Amino acid sequence: VQLQASGGGLVQAGGSLRLSCGTSGDSLSDFGVGWFRQVPGKEREFVAAINWNGSGTYYAGSVKGRFTISRDNAKNTVYLQMNSLKPEDTAVYYCAVDGLPGTSHYGEYYGWGQGTQVTVSS
């Protein structure tokens, strides 16, 4: 399975964006999914994760209270709603399938596809 992130763009600080994560053909309904972000020269950073049916969600401290992860298994899509965006949220955002439920380490995820650029201007 390979996931594809979309929905990024340029937004002013304090604004909102909603990212989407899907696949070209495989079903995501049996898998937990995580969102990560990366800026050049830095390690990929955990943002949020959701279990297979949406009953469990996990967030990095830096985004808790501002970002919300959700999923619609009927649409085979996982979302990341990002509110109150800050310039430090600027990064390429990726989604991937978790190989170890509840983990925040990128090494336990797979199915990385092309990310989507989020740029927050001050």
Side-chain angles (χ1 to χ4, degrees), residues 7-112:
L10 173 63
V11 63
Q12 286 190 327
S16 298
L17 279 175
R18 188 177 79 159
L19 306 184
S20 298
C21 173
T23 71
S24 59
D26 300 292
S27 172
L28 281 181
S29 61
D30 293 333
F31 300 100
V33 172
W35 284 98
F36 288 75
R37 64 189 182 187
Q38 190 169 24
V39 297
K42 289 194 175 181
E43 194 170 89
R44 198 160 291 190
E45 176 190 21
F46 172 77
V47 174
I50 189 166
N51 70 345
W52 70 277
N53 66 357
S55 65
T57 57
Y58 316 89
Y59 296 94
S62 58
V63 307
K64 205 165 189 178
R66 300 188 297 122
F67 291 11
T68 302
I69 189 170
S70 63
R71 66 189 303 156
D72 184 340
N73 283 344
K75 294 183 178 179
N76 208 35
T77 303
V78 173
Y79 303 100
L80 184 69
Q81 177 68 43
M82 307 186 296
N83 299 329
S84 303
L85 282 161
K86 304 175 181 180
E88 51 264 42
D89 294 317
T90 296
V92 177
Y93 283 70
Y94 300 87
C95 56
V97 174
D98 75 25
L100 183 65
T103 184
S104 62
H105 192 274
Y106 68 85
E108 298 292 347
Y109 285 77
Y110 63 95
W112 302 94

